[in-house]
Amino acid sequence: MDLHAAEEAREILRGAIAAGHEPRADLAFTLGDLHRRAGRTASARESFDKALAADPGHFQTLIACGRLDLEDGQIDRAVEFFRRASELHPDDWRPAYWLAKVAAAGGDPTQIGRLLARAQQLAGVVNTELLGLAGDRALAAGDAQQAGKLFLEGLKRDPESLECAEGMEAVLLAIGDQNRAATARTRVVATAALHEALRELAGSAGKFADLGPALEAAAAACEKLKLSARRQYFLTLAHAADPTDTAVLRALAEGHRADEDLLFRAHYLAELLKLQPEDADAKRELSAIRARLSTAKNRTTGEAENPNSTHFKL
């Protein structure tokens, strides 16, 4: 869920509560999911209970309750929720996936394989979650090489997958490759930091202007994970939250070094100089960019006006 969707859900829920209405199951689930993402387990359970009271067969809530119980080690309760979800929605892959996760926690490769095959059949495609689970199964069966291939494929599809990052570290430790395992540990830490920042953003009840630190933390984690576009996204939001943060402006300018991004780089440097007019480095670089842009414009104009020029013929 993105920031805009989360805030919209909060507003709808606030309106329902202010009007004295019991929230519908889908809204109660949304609020519970926001609490879960923010790590507020007790509040999440309270909202999920309201969702199930409104609709005992609410699929997403059944899955969410099972996940919370699985995380708390209440295996029997988790299995009951997942089975109820499966009975109500036999064509959905997620109950089989989560039941397979329960089996993975017990280290039973045969049971994992059976449930994984069922989840894959229902899903129709192999997604990141299923690749991670298949990697868990291969690792439990002692096939570290196959597990590594599956976790790597999962990371290619979703570089933010914490499960696949942790799985890759486990594989490297299993084969005794300490150096690469240390690198994998760095990725796990950065991915966990990104997820933590996202939890903070999802669970924040404050104003958008207060989200700057969490947005910057998410951007920093993306930089370590080499997720350039994702980093720029969080930095842009951080700039919108606090346009006077010079560190964010510098980072935004730094992220636009490609020739096709010079206009963006010039814009952020100009914004930085409004706040720090004595910044000699920013002045010098902005002048250089403007000179390059001016030269490029003149060259383009000259080529258009002179069809006999060498550049035009090429």
Side-chain angles (χ1 to χ4, degrees), residues 120-248:
Q120 289 174 333
Q121 179 186 13
L122 291 171
V125 294
V126 180
N127 55 35
T128 304
E129 291 92 337
L130 293 174
L131 284 167
L133 186 54
D136 289 339
R137 181 202 177 201
L139 198 56
D143 191 346
Q145 183 176 6
Q146 178 62 13
K149 290 180 181 178
L150 291 164
F151 290 135
L152 280 176
E153 180 60 29
L155 287 171
K156 285 180 183 177
R157 298 189 184 202
D158 180 9
E160 297 175 24
S161 171
L162 182 58
E163 180 180 13
C164 288
E166 291 176 333
M168 200 63 230
E169 180 190 16
V171 165
L172 293 168
L173 288 172
I175 64 176
D177 192 335
Q178 298 297 329
N179 290 334
R180 291 173 65 198
T183 301
R185 164 54 28 186
T186 301
R187 184 185 189 96
V188 168
V189 170
T191 305
L194 175 57
H195 284 228
E196 179 61 31
L198 293 174
R199 274 194 294 274
E200 187 175 342
L201 292 169
S204 174
K207 298 178 180 178
F208 183 64
D210 298 328
L211 299 180
L215 289 164
E216 290 183 54
C222 288
E223 183 176 16
K224 291 179 181 178
L225 293 170
K226 299 180 180 179
L227 302 174
S228 301
R230 189 82 158 136
R231 174 178 178 266
Q232 290 298 105
Y233 166 74
F234 286 119
L235 285 173
T236 302
L237 288 177
H239 176 54
D242 182 6
T244 65
D245 190 325
T246 56
V248 171

Side-chain angles (χ1 to χ4, degrees), residues 4-197:
H4 301 295
E7 187 56 35
E8 182 181 357
R10 288 194 194 95
E11 288 303 319
I12 293 173
L13 289 161
R14 289 188 189 117
I17 293 169
H21 301 308
E22 280 294 319
R24 302 193 312 266
D26 55 343
L27 294 180
F29 163 76
T30 299
L31 181 59
D33 196 44
L34 288 170
H35 285 310
R36 180 189 65 80
R37 290 167 185 265
R40 297 189 290 265
T41 303
S43 296
R45 286 189 183 280
E46 183 180 348
S47 294
F48 291 150
D49 287 344
K50 289 181 179 179
L52 291 178
D55 178 5
H58 193 264
F59 178 76
Q60 291 173 293
T61 305
L62 290 171
I63 294 293
C65 288
R67 289 181 64 178
L68 285 180
D69 286 333
L70 182 58
E71 291 169 3
D72 287 346
Q74 300 183 55
I75 304 301
D76 291 342
R77 278 173 53 91
V79 168
E80 178 61 26
F81 278 117
F82 296 144
R83 284 181 176 164
R84 280 173 60 190
S86 180
E87 290 168 2
L88 291 167
H89 298 271
D91 295 330
D92 197 289
W93 65 275
R94 284 168 288 183
Y97 166 79
W98 284 105
L99 286 168
K101 292 285 284 184
V102 173
D108 184 349
T110 302
Q111 183 75 341
I112 300 171
R114 183 180 68 79
L115 291 165
L116 176 61
R118 175 65 175 160
Q120 289 174 333
Q121 179 186 13
L122 291 171
V125 294
V126 180
N127 55 35
T128 304
E129 291 92 337
L130 293 174
L131 284 167
L133 186 54
D136 289 339
R137 181 202 177 201
L139 198 56
D143 191 346
Q145 183 176 6
Q146 178 62 13
K149 290 180 181 178
L150 291 164
F151 290 135
L152 280 176
E153 180 60 29
L155 287 171
K156 285 180 183 177
R157 298 189 184 202
D158 180 9
E160 297 175 24
S161 171
L162 182 58
E163 180 180 13
C164 288
E166 291 176 333
M168 200 63 230
E169 180 190 16
V171 165
L172 293 168
L173 288 172
I175 64 176
D177 192 335
Q178 298 297 329
N179 290 334
R180 291 173 65 198
T183 301
R185 164 54 28 186
T186 301
R187 184 185 189 96
V188 168
V189 170
T191 305
L194 175 57
H195 284 228
E196 179 61 31

Side-chain angles (χ1 to χ4, degrees), residues 225-287:
L225 293 170
K226 299 180 180 179
L227 302 174
S228 301
R230 189 82 158 136
R231 174 178 178 266
Q232 290 298 105
Y233 166 74
F234 286 119
L235 285 173
T236 302
L237 288 177
H239 176 54
D242 182 6
T244 65
D245 190 325
T246 56
V248 171
L249 282 169
R250 289 182 190 280
L252 280 166
E254 186 64 28
H256 289 93
R257 283 201 167 276
D259 285 349
E260 61 268 25
D261 291 341
L262 284 181
L263 284 173
F264 288 104
R265 187 169 178 79
H267 167 75
Y268 290 120
L269 287 171
E271 291 296 305
L272 177 61
L273 284 169
K274 288 179 184 178
L275 298 169
Q276 295 183 339
E278 302 306 318
D279 189 322
D281 290 338
K283 279 183 181 179
R284 184 166 47 251
E285 186 166 6
L286 181 57
S287 295

